[in-house]
Amino acid sequence: MKLLVTGTAGFIGYHLARRLLEDGHEVVGIDNLNDYYDVGLKLGRLKELGIEAEDAKYGKRVESSLFPGHSFYLADLADGTTLDALFGREKFDAVCNLAAQAGVRYSLENPSAYIQSNLTGFANILEGCRNHEVENLSYASSSSVYGLNKSMPFKVDDSVDHPVSLYAATKKSNELMAHTYSHLYGIRTTGLRFFTVYGPWGRPDMAPMLFADAILHDRPINVFNYGKMQRDFTYIDDIVKGVVSIIEHPAVPNEKFDFLNPDPASSPAPYRVYNIGNGKPVKLMDFIVTLEKHLGKKAQMNMMPMQPGDVEATWADTSALERDIGYRPSTDLDKGISEFVEWYTKFYNL
């Protein structure tokens, strides 16, 4: 297939693009290289895909020096004119939208960034698919959509009507927008609610890198809710396997859809929403102990109250994804943290 993967300078987007290229697909990447976090890390990911920073000019196609099937555009999803021209020029078989303004806490500080990237940008992706006959769209949602729900594990047929951050609200909005385009135009859309993803080339605003950096530089780490947190940590390779399978098995209508008792995760239109996670929540303190083990150093801790917009626990029920595509994560926390630490210390020369 020829695919558009948005956010290829990002954590999951980079790993997905690399896997698709290694599998023999043609991948066109796009990213706006914003400065939400270290642009050097983003450029490092692109370099691994054969894209040099000095070659990236806005709206211009750059060819990879490492992968003959890869090209890249520096562009912003909120720029509808540039995006429409890209769709018209490249003629995609499928699109996987992983570009977004990420981060729960940052959405309290800069809400407009989330409106532009996650709402306007996603609307432009949907319009690109509609206007250029792309019928296979997968996209990143988030476990954050579960909000105030405390029924564990989170199930895709649970209510997601009570988000506690603007970031979460934009991700729920993406699911609703996707359903509309599936219903009106027959676009096959699949939303993936990612649960805390970690691994090599991860985001520096997330716990693994924040904690590793602080521990190795003798700074205390901030441990929220006094450590009484759980996260469904999921290793990046397991996530990518699931996303590739979703791309290869796009959504189909639910022929047994009950209009009197509607299933929020499916539709008579070709629409699906899935949880994609490890299915095994990890206590935050256990995560810290495992990280200490592989770093060979103890953490200093600032025990702090819960932050606004955050949730105490996440736990994915992945049974629907297991049923439909055979998804089964296989990387345990000890191995995943070991791989992350090996990459981290090498990349930052520590």
Side-chain angles (χ1 to χ4, degrees):
M1 288 187 286
K2 182 175 183 179
L3 301 105
L4 172 64
V5 178
T6 71
T8 50
F11 175 32
I12 301 175
Y14 155 71
H15 282 280
L16 176 64
R18 188 179 189 100
R19 169 65 185 271
L20 290 168
L21 289 163
E22 290 170 348
D23 287 351
H25 296 291
E26 184 178 353
V27 176
V28 177
I30 183 174
D31 204 289
N32 69 359
L33 296 177
N34 69 35
D35 62 358
Y36 166 63
Y37 62 77
D38 179 20
V39 175
L41 181 59
K42 297 180 180 185
L43 295 177
R45 295 179 186 127
L46 289 182
K47 190 169 185 176
E48 292 288 306
L49 295 172
I51 305 297
E52 298 294 338
E54 58 268 22
D55 296 332
K57 309 294 186 221
Y58 193 86
K60 304 300 181 184
R61 180 179 172 125
V62 180
E63 302 295 335
S64 169
S65 61
L66 298 176
F67 294 95
H70 182 46
S71 56
F72 173 79
Y73 288 86
L74 173 62
D76 196 310
L77 296 190
D79 179 353
T81 301
T82 296
L83 198 64
D84 185 69
L86 188 153
F87 269 84
R89 184 183 309 122
E90 297 289 353
K91 310 297 183 187
F92 301 113
D93 299 309
V95 174
C96 185
N97 182 50
L98 300 176
Q101 179 57 61
V104 168
R105 292 160 191 162
Y106 186 62
S107 69
L108 278 65
E109 303 169 20
N110 189 5
S112 62
Y114 292 76
I115 301 301
Q116 286 299 307
S117 181
N118 300 6
L119 297 183
T120 301
F122 190 63
N124 288 336
I125 288 286
L126 290 167
E127 280 290 280
C129 291
R130 177 174 79 94
N131 293 328
H132 299 280
E133 299 180 343
V134 181
E135 296 183 357
N136 181 353
L137 170 64
S138 48
Y139 61 94
S141 185
S142 170
S143 62
S144 298
V145 300
Y146 289 103
L148 292 177
N149 180 16
K150 293 194 176 182
S151 174
M152 297 286 172
F154 294 147
K155 301 178 178 65
V156 289
D157 53 4
D158 285 345
S159 167
V160 290
D161 291 335
H162 300 92
V164 294
S165 69
L166 181 63
Y167 169 70
T170 64
K171 287 302 183 179
K172 177 181 177 176
S173 298
N174 286 172
E175 296 176 4
L176 297 173
M177 294 161 73
H179 182 266
T180 302
Y181 275 68
S182 293
H183 172 72
L184 292 174
Y185 308 116
I187 299 170
R188 302 164 80 180
T189 68
T190 305
L192 292 166
R193 293 174 178 169
F194 291 115
F195 284 68
T196 315
V197 187
Y198 75 99
W201 295 100
R203 279 175 28 208
D205 62 323
M206 295 185 70
M209 286 183 69
L210 286 172
F211 288 178
D213 180 64
I215 292 168
L216 290 175
H217 291 93
D218 299 310
R219 297 194 312 271
I221 61 175
N222 293 328
V223 182
F224 294 103
N225 201 33
Y226 307 102
K228 297 174 184 176
M229 305 273 277
Q230 293 185 74
R231 289 291 181 267
D232 199 325
F233 288 102
T234 314
Y235 190 64
I236 183 63
D237 289 359
D238 292 326
I239 289 287
V240 167
K241 287 177 188 175
V243 177
V244 170
S245 293
I246 285 294
I247 292 169
E248 294 174 346
H249 300 87
V252 296
N254 179 0
E255 295 180 355
K256 298 180 180 179
F257 188 80
D258 183 350
F259 289 87
L260 298 178
N261 186 27
D263 171 16
S266 70
S267 172
Y271 166 89
R272 284 289 191 279
V273 173
Y274 294 107
N275 288 333
I276 183 166
N278 201 44
K280 297 174 183 176
V282 174
K283 293 178 181 178
L284 181 59
M285 298 307 296
D286 291 343
F287 177 86
I288 292 170
V289 167
T290 307
L291 187 59
E292 289 174 327
K293 168 187 165 185
H294 289 284
L295 290 172
K297 196 170 184 180
K298 287 287 185 181
Q300 306 170 47
M301 299 184 220
N302 285 333
M303 308 305 281
M304 302 177 70
M306 181 78 84
Q307 284 208 139
D310 215 343
V311 296
E312 184 175 326
T314 63
W315 176 7
D317 179 340
T318 60
S319 57
L321 203 56
E322 293 171 17
R323 178 195 68 218
D324 290 350
I325 66 164
Y327 170 79
R328 288 182 183 84
S330 59
T331 309
D332 64 30
L333 184 71
D334 190 73
K335 177 174 173 52
I337 291 294
S338 173
E339 295 288 335
F340 162 72
V341 168
E342 181 180 352
W343 166 80
Y344 180 83
T345 52
K346 181 178 179 182
F347 183 77
Y348 288 103
N349 297 314
L350 297 170

